[in-house]
Amino acid sequence: MMPSDPTLSIVIPVYNEQDNLVPLLDELVAVVQELDQPFEIICVDDASTDNSFSVLQDLKQKYPQLRVIQHAVNCGESAGQATGFAHARGRWIVTMDADQQNDPADIPALLEASRHVDAVCGIRRRREDNWVKRTSSKVANGFRNKVTGDVIADAGCTFRLLKREALREIPVFNGMHRFLPTLLRLQGFKVVEIPVNHRPRIRGESKYGIGNRMFRGLVDCFAILWWRKRCLPTRRFVPEDEVPSP
Ligand code: UDP
Ligand code: MG
């Protein structure tokens, strides 16, 4: 039976992760069940070419809290997140990768840090990726902060807790997931960062390298610079007493 009114939605973009899905769901559900609040898990299959979709369908028997949505064509991680946001019903949304690099055991700490803020973003404490990824991330974070004028320690970490209401004002584009904390701040929302665990990818392959991540991410910084000047943080227009309380 599906809980009618989940308070927490966990959104997971999935692209060719067939061998990660069973251990991911087993580990995740064990943690979230302990929170003692209704939840849903939304896996967005981004037109995988392996068996991810059928593995997810099977997992629905075991975990009735699981909802599976499938893209008709591969659209990328940001699109996966955006589809999940559009379908999520919880007041809060956790985003995480499907590859088990994020540790569900950090979810209680994300929730704990959410008092009086609109988003809690992870900073990977000890990054378990290769040298190329770690270096390109360092360069990208430095450049991004310089151009966008924001300070986000680890924009590439997509393990986050987000207030669903706040996401309504965020523009969706391919690459959005790297700028989500900055986009939220530009709309006037409060974002904090906390350290999270990071683990090596054991199964499946990373979908990103220098070519399809770093250079595009650097170019996108200039779009954010433009957005910073032109965005309309609607919250600032409403009288103080009508601003929804956190
Ligand atoms: N992903 C997706 N569509 C894509 C590429 C990636 O849904 O076109 C998912 C992928 O399955 C994973 C998450 O996005 O859950 C992050 O991808 P990945 O782990 O490869 O990135 P990395 O951690 O290496 O930066
Ligand atoms: Mg990963």
Side-chain angles (χ1 to χ4, degrees), residues 13-15 17 46 74 76-77 97-99 101 133 201 205-208 213:
V14 175
Y15 183 58
E17 304 281 5
D46 192 18
N74 178 251
E77 183 178 354
D97 288 0
D99 56 10
Q101 289 200 262
K133 270 190 182 214
R201 184 189 256 276
E205 280 166 15
S206 168
K207 316 299 179 298
Y208 298 109
R213 174 173 35 204

PDB file of all heavy atoms in Angstrom, residues 13-15 17 46 74 76-77 97-99 101 133 201 205-208 213, ligand 1:
ATOM      1  N   PRO A  13      17.937   9.704  -9.738  1.00  0.00           N
ATOM      2  CA  PRO A  13      18.072   9.499 -11.190  1.00  0.00           C
ATOM      3  C   PRO A  13      18.875   8.220 -11.457  1.00  0.00           C
ATOM      4  O   PRO A  13      19.875   7.971 -10.789  1.00  0.00           O
ATOM      5  CB  PRO A  13      18.860  10.733 -11.674  1.00  0.00           C
ATOM      6  CG  PRO A  13      19.087  11.587 -10.483  1.00  0.00           C
ATOM      7  CD  PRO A  13      18.816  10.775  -9.260  1.00  0.00           C
ATOM      8  N   VAL A  14      18.401   7.455 -12.428  1.00  0.00           N
ATOM      9  CA  VAL A  14      19.016   6.145 -12.685  1.00  0.00           C
ATOM     10  C   VAL A  14      19.348   5.997 -14.159  1.00  0.00           C
ATOM     11  O   VAL A  14      18.441   6.086 -15.011  1.00  0.00           O
ATOM     12  CB  VAL A  14      18.035   5.011 -12.280  1.00  0.00           C
ATOM     13  CG1 VAL A  14      18.598   3.645 -12.662  1.00  0.00           C
ATOM     14  CG2 VAL A  14      17.701   5.068 -10.792  1.00  0.00           C
ATOM     15  N   TYR A  15      20.598   5.801 -14.475  1.00  0.00           N
ATOM     16  CA  TYR A  15      20.962   5.491 -15.863  1.00  0.00           C
ATOM     17  C   TYR A  15      21.968   4.340 -15.864  1.00  0.00           C
ATOM     18  O   TYR A  15      23.094   4.484 -15.394  1.00  0.00           O
ATOM     19  CB  TYR A  15      21.549   6.719 -16.555  1.00  0.00           C
ATOM     20  CG  TYR A  15      21.885   6.477 -18.014  1.00  0.00           C
ATOM     21  CD1 TYR A  15      20.901   6.053 -18.904  1.00  0.00           C
ATOM     22  CD2 TYR A  15      23.170   6.643 -18.493  1.00  0.00           C
ATOM     23  CE1 TYR A  15      21.202   5.813 -20.222  1.00  0.00           C
ATOM     24  CE2 TYR A  15      23.479   6.408 -19.818  1.00  0.00           C
ATOM     25  CZ  TYR A  15      22.483   5.993 -20.677  1.00  0.00           C
ATOM     26  OH  TYR A  15      22.783   5.744 -21.997  1.00  0.00           O
ATOM     27  N   GLU A  17      22.205   1.416 -14.099  1.00  0.00           N
ATOM     28  CA  GLU A  17      22.687   1.116 -12.745  1.00  0.00           C
ATOM     29  C   GLU A  17      22.127  -0.226 -12.262  1.00  0.00           C
ATOM     30  O   GLU A  17      21.885  -0.416 -11.069  1.00  0.00           O
ATOM     31  CB  GLU A  17      22.253   2.230 -11.760  1.00  0.00           C
ATOM     32  CG  GLU A  17      22.666   3.630 -12.115  1.00  0.00           C
ATOM     33  CD  GLU A  17      24.131   3.947 -11.783  1.00  0.00           C
ATOM     34  OE1 GLU A  17      24.852   3.027 -11.347  1.00  0.00           O
ATOM     35  OE2 GLU A  17      24.528   5.111 -11.967  1.00  0.00           O
ATOM     36  N   ASP A  46      16.390   6.976 -16.600  1.00  0.00           N
ATOM     37  CA  ASP A  46      16.681   7.921 -17.672  1.00  0.00           C
ATOM     38  C   ASP A  46      16.949   7.163 -18.982  1.00  0.00           C
ATOM     39  O   ASP A  46      17.998   7.313 -19.592  1.00  0.00           O
ATOM     40  CB  ASP A  46      17.893   8.765 -17.249  1.00  0.00           C
ATOM     41  CG  ASP A  46      18.117   9.978 -18.134  1.00  0.00           C
ATOM     42  OD1 ASP A  46      17.179  10.376 -18.848  1.00  0.00           O
ATOM     43  OD2 ASP A  46      19.241  10.512 -18.105  1.00  0.00           O
ATOM     44  N   ASN A  74      17.168   9.338 -23.167  1.00  0.00           N
ATOM     45  CA  ASN A  74      18.149   9.753 -22.165  1.00  0.00           C
ATOM     46  C   ASN A  74      18.251  11.274 -22.128  1.00  0.00           C
ATOM     47  O   ASN A  74      18.496  11.915 -23.149  1.00  0.00           O
ATOM     48  CB  ASN A  74      19.508   9.115 -22.487  1.00  0.00           C
ATOM     49  CG  ASN A  74      20.577   9.541 -21.504  1.00  0.00           C
ATOM     50  OD1 ASN A  74      21.474  10.306 -21.840  1.00  0.00           O
ATOM     51  ND2 ASN A  74      20.488   9.068 -20.291  1.00  0.00           N
ATOM     52  N   GLY A  76      19.690  13.037 -19.129  1.00  0.00           N
ATOM     53  CA  GLY A  76      20.705  13.516 -18.190  1.00  0.00           C
ATOM     54  C   GLY A  76      20.204  13.600 -16.763  1.00  0.00           C
ATOM     55  O   GLY A  76      18.999  13.548 -16.496  1.00  0.00           O
ATOM     56  N   GLU A  77      21.183  13.746 -15.868  1.00  0.00           N
ATOM     57  CA  GLU A  77      20.891  13.703 -14.428  1.00  0.00           C
ATOM     58  C   GLU A  77      19.959  14.835 -13.966  1.00  0.00           C
ATOM     59  O   GLU A  77      19.064  14.625 -13.149  1.00  0.00           O
ATOM     60  CB  GLU A  77      22.226  13.779 -13.668  1.00  0.00           C
ATOM     61  CG  GLU A  77      22.101  13.664 -12.176  1.00  0.00           C
ATOM     62  CD  GLU A  77      23.464  13.693 -11.486  1.00  0.00           C
ATOM     63  OE1 GLU A  77      24.494  13.685 -12.180  1.00  0.00           O
ATOM     64  OE2 GLU A  77      23.474  13.736 -10.242  1.00  0.00           O
ATOM     65  N   ASP A  97      22.481   9.878  -5.666  1.00  0.00           N
ATOM     66  CA  ASP A  97      22.824   9.074  -6.838  1.00  0.00           C
ATOM     67  C   ASP A  97      22.397   7.628  -6.631  1.00  0.00           C
ATOM     68  O   ASP A  97      22.187   7.188  -5.501  1.00  0.00           O
ATOM     69  CB  ASP A  97      24.338   9.113  -7.079  1.00  0.00           C
ATOM     70  CG  ASP A  97      24.802  10.456  -7.616  1.00  0.00           C
ATOM     71  OD1 ASP A  97      23.950  11.348  -7.793  1.00  0.00           O
ATOM     72  OD2 ASP A  97      26.013  10.586  -7.859  1.00  0.00           O
ATOM     73  N   ALA A  98      22.321   6.902  -7.734  1.00  0.00           N
ATOM     74  CA  ALA A  98      21.905   5.502  -7.658  1.00  0.00           C
ATOM     75  C   ALA A  98      23.083   4.559  -7.453  1.00  0.00           C
ATOM     76  O   ALA A  98      22.897   3.357  -7.338  1.00  0.00           O
ATOM     77  CB  ALA A  98      21.171   5.125  -8.949  1.00  0.00           C
ATOM     78  N   ASP A  99      24.300   5.113  -7.434  1.00  0.00           N
ATOM     79  CA  ASP A  99      25.478   4.245  -7.486  1.00  0.00           C
ATOM     80  C   ASP A  99      26.049   3.866  -6.132  1.00  0.00           C
ATOM     81  O   ASP A  99      27.142   3.305  -6.044  1.00  0.00           O
ATOM     82  CB  ASP A  99      26.573   4.918  -8.324  1.00  0.00           C
ATOM     83  CG  ASP A  99      26.912   6.303  -7.791  1.00  0.00           C
ATOM     84  OD1 ASP A  99      26.440   6.647  -6.698  1.00  0.00           O
ATOM     85  OD2 ASP A  99      27.654   7.030  -8.471  1.00  0.00           O
ATOM     86  N   GLN A 101      27.345   5.729  -3.949  1.00  0.00           N
ATOM     87  CA  GLN A 101      28.461   6.555  -3.471  1.00  0.00           C
ATOM     88  C   GLN A 101      27.994   7.420  -2.292  1.00  0.00           C
ATOM     89  O   GLN A 101      28.781   7.767  -1.430  1.00  0.00           O
ATOM     90  CB  GLN A 101      29.027   7.412  -4.605  1.00  0.00           C
ATOM     91  CG  GLN A 101      29.779   6.573  -5.639  1.00  0.00           C
ATOM     92  CD  GLN A 101      30.741   7.401  -6.486  1.00  0.00           C
ATOM     93  OE1 GLN A 101      30.399   7.780  -7.595  1.00  0.00           O
ATOM     94  NE2 GLN A 101      31.919   7.667  -5.975  1.00  0.00           N
ATOM     95  N   LYS A 133      38.837  13.241 -11.524  1.00  0.00           N
ATOM     96  CA  LYS A 133      37.558  13.800 -11.049  1.00  0.00           C
ATOM     97  C   LYS A 133      37.766  14.784  -9.906  1.00  0.00           C
ATOM     98  O   LYS A 133      37.149  15.850  -9.858  1.00  0.00           O
ATOM     99  CB  LYS A 133      36.658  12.670 -10.543  1.00  0.00           C
ATOM    100  CG  LYS A 133      35.802  12.110 -11.625  1.00  0.00           C
ATOM    101  CD  LYS A 133      34.779  11.187 -11.042  1.00  0.00           C
ATOM    102  CE  LYS A 133      33.996  10.638 -12.194  1.00  0.00           C
ATOM    103  NZ  LYS A 133      32.638  10.393 -11.922  1.00  0.00           N
ATOM    104  N   ARG A 201      32.616   4.025  -6.127  1.00  0.00           N
ATOM    105  CA  ARG A 201      31.630   3.314  -6.946  1.00  0.00           C
ATOM    106  C   ARG A 201      32.158   1.899  -7.150  1.00  0.00           C
ATOM    107  O   ARG A 201      33.260   1.701  -7.651  1.00  0.00           O
ATOM    108  CB  ARG A 201      31.473   4.019  -8.296  1.00  0.00           C
ATOM    109  CG  ARG A 201      30.404   3.413  -9.171  1.00  0.00           C
ATOM    110  CD  ARG A 201      30.480   4.030 -10.561  1.00  0.00           C
ATOM    111  NE  ARG A 201      29.443   5.008 -10.829  1.00  0.00           N
ATOM    112  CZ  ARG A 201      28.215   4.696 -11.248  1.00  0.00           C
ATOM    113  NH1 ARG A 201      27.868   3.439 -11.419  1.00  0.00           N
ATOM    114  NH2 ARG A 201      27.345   5.655 -11.510  1.00  0.00           N
ATOM    115  N   GLU A 205      29.391   2.048 -14.170  1.00  0.00           N
ATOM    116  CA  GLU A 205      30.396   3.042 -14.559  1.00  0.00           C
ATOM    117  C   GLU A 205      29.894   4.463 -14.384  1.00  0.00           C
ATOM    118  O   GLU A 205      28.708   4.733 -14.555  1.00  0.00           O
ATOM    119  CB  GLU A 205      30.743   2.855 -16.038  1.00  0.00           C
ATOM    120  CG  GLU A 205      31.712   1.713 -16.254  1.00  0.00           C
ATOM    121  CD  GLU A 205      31.809   1.303 -17.702  1.00  0.00           C
ATOM    122  OE1 GLU A 205      31.354   2.081 -18.576  1.00  0.00           O
ATOM    123  OE2 GLU A 205      32.333   0.208 -17.951  1.00  0.00           O
ATOM    124  N   SER A 206      30.846   5.367 -14.089  1.00  0.00           N
ATOM    125  CA  SER A 206      30.492   6.787 -14.015  1.00  0.00           C
ATOM    126  C   SER A 206      30.089   7.272 -15.405  1.00  0.00           C
ATOM    127  O   SER A 206      30.648   6.843 -16.410  1.00  0.00           O
ATOM    128  CB  SER A 206      31.696   7.584 -13.509  1.00  0.00           C
ATOM    129  OG  SER A 206      31.440   8.956 -13.696  1.00  0.00           O
ATOM    130  N   LYS A 207      29.103   8.171 -15.437  1.00  0.00           N
ATOM    131  CA  LYS A 207      28.612   8.660 -16.727  1.00  0.00           C
ATOM    132  C   LYS A 207      29.307   9.950 -17.138  1.00  0.00           C
ATOM    133  O   LYS A 207      29.003  10.522 -18.167  1.00  0.00           O
ATOM    134  CB  LYS A 207      27.094   8.912 -16.661  1.00  0.00           C
ATOM    135  CG  LYS A 207      26.293   7.816 -15.955  1.00  0.00           C
ATOM    136  CD  LYS A 207      26.429   6.480 -16.652  1.00  0.00           C
ATOM    137  CE  LYS A 207      25.681   5.345 -15.983  1.00  0.00           C
ATOM    138  NZ  LYS A 207      26.054   4.980 -14.636  1.00  0.00           N
ATOM    139  N   TYR A 208      30.227  10.423 -16.292  1.00  0.00           N
ATOM    140  CA  TYR A 208      30.829  11.729 -16.575  1.00  0.00           C
ATOM    141  C   TYR A 208      32.347  11.649 -16.653  1.00  0.00           C
ATOM    142  O   TYR A 208      32.986  10.904 -15.937  1.00  0.00           O
ATOM    143  CB  TYR A 208      30.475  12.731 -15.473  1.00  0.00           C
ATOM    144  CG  TYR A 208      29.004  12.988 -15.362  1.00  0.00           C
ATOM    145  CD1 TYR A 208      28.281  12.510 -14.291  1.00  0.00           C
ATOM    146  CD2 TYR A 208      28.337  13.708 -16.335  1.00  0.00           C
ATOM    147  CE1 TYR A 208      26.922  12.740 -14.176  1.00  0.00           C
ATOM    148  CE2 TYR A 208      26.977  13.945 -16.239  1.00  0.00           C
ATOM    149  CZ  TYR A 208      26.280  13.459 -15.152  1.00  0.00           C
ATOM    150  OH  TYR A 208      24.941  13.694 -15.046  1.00  0.00           O
ATOM    151  N   ARG A 213      31.534  17.064 -18.603  1.00  0.00           N
ATOM    152  CA  ARG A 213      31.149  17.696 -17.348  1.00  0.00           C
ATOM    153  C   ARG A 213      31.873  19.003 -17.141  1.00  0.00           C
ATOM    154  O   ARG A 213      31.271  20.061 -17.050  1.00  0.00           O
ATOM    155  CB  ARG A 213      31.415  16.782 -16.162  1.00  0.00           C
ATOM    156  CG  ARG A 213      31.140  17.533 -14.891  1.00  0.00           C
ATOM    157  CD  ARG A 213      31.179  16.788 -13.617  1.00  0.00           C
ATOM    158  NE  ARG A 213      32.140  15.743 -13.515  1.00  0.00           N
ATOM    159  CZ  ARG A 213      31.999  14.742 -12.695  1.00  0.00           C
ATOM    160  NH1 ARG A 213      30.928  14.651 -11.948  1.00  0.00           N
ATOM    161  NH2 ARG A 213      32.906  13.810 -12.593  1.00  0.00           N
TER     162      ARG A 213
HETATM  163  N1  UDP B   1      22.477   9.648 -14.474  1.00  0.00           N
HETATM  164  C1  UDP B   1      21.280   9.806 -15.158  1.00  0.00           C
HETATM  165  N2  UDP B   1      21.310  10.121 -16.491  1.00  0.00           N
HETATM  166  C2  UDP B   1      22.488  10.330 -17.158  1.00  0.00           C
HETATM  167  C3  UDP B   1      23.698  10.224 -16.443  1.00  0.00           C
HETATM  168  C4  UDP B   1      23.654   9.885 -15.087  1.00  0.00           C
HETATM  169  O1  UDP B   1      20.198   9.605 -14.588  1.00  0.00           O
HETATM  170  O2  UDP B   1      22.441  10.614 -18.371  1.00  0.00           O
HETATM  171  C5  UDP B   1      22.454   9.261 -13.036  1.00  0.00           C
HETATM  172  C6  UDP B   1      23.354   8.100 -12.661  1.00  0.00           C
HETATM  173  O3  UDP B   1      22.734   6.841 -12.842  1.00  0.00           O
HETATM  174  C7  UDP B   1      23.641   8.390 -11.191  1.00  0.00           C
HETATM  175  C8  UDP B   1      23.672   9.911 -11.149  1.00  0.00           C
HETATM  176  O4  UDP B   1      22.971  10.352 -12.302  1.00  0.00           O
HETATM  177  O5  UDP B   1      22.599   7.942 -10.353  1.00  0.00           O
HETATM  178  C9  UDP B   1      25.096  10.458 -11.155  1.00  0.00           C
HETATM  179  O6  UDP B   1      25.848   9.850 -12.204  1.00  0.00           O
HETATM  180  P1  UDP B   1      27.297   9.254 -11.948  1.00  0.00           P
HETATM  181  O7  UDP B   1      27.330   8.453 -10.673  1.00  0.00           O
HETATM  182  O8  UDP B   1      27.739   8.558 -13.172  1.00  0.00           O
HETATM  183  O9  UDP B   1      28.148  10.579 -11.731  1.00  0.00           O
HETATM  184  P2  UDP B   1      29.453  10.764 -10.853  1.00  0.00           P
HETATM  185  O10 UDP B   1      29.106  10.343  -9.441  1.00  0.00           O
HETATM  186  O11 UDP B   1      30.488   9.893 -11.457  1.00  0.00           O
HETATM  187  O12 UDP B   1      29.733  12.227 -10.949  1.00  0.00           O
END
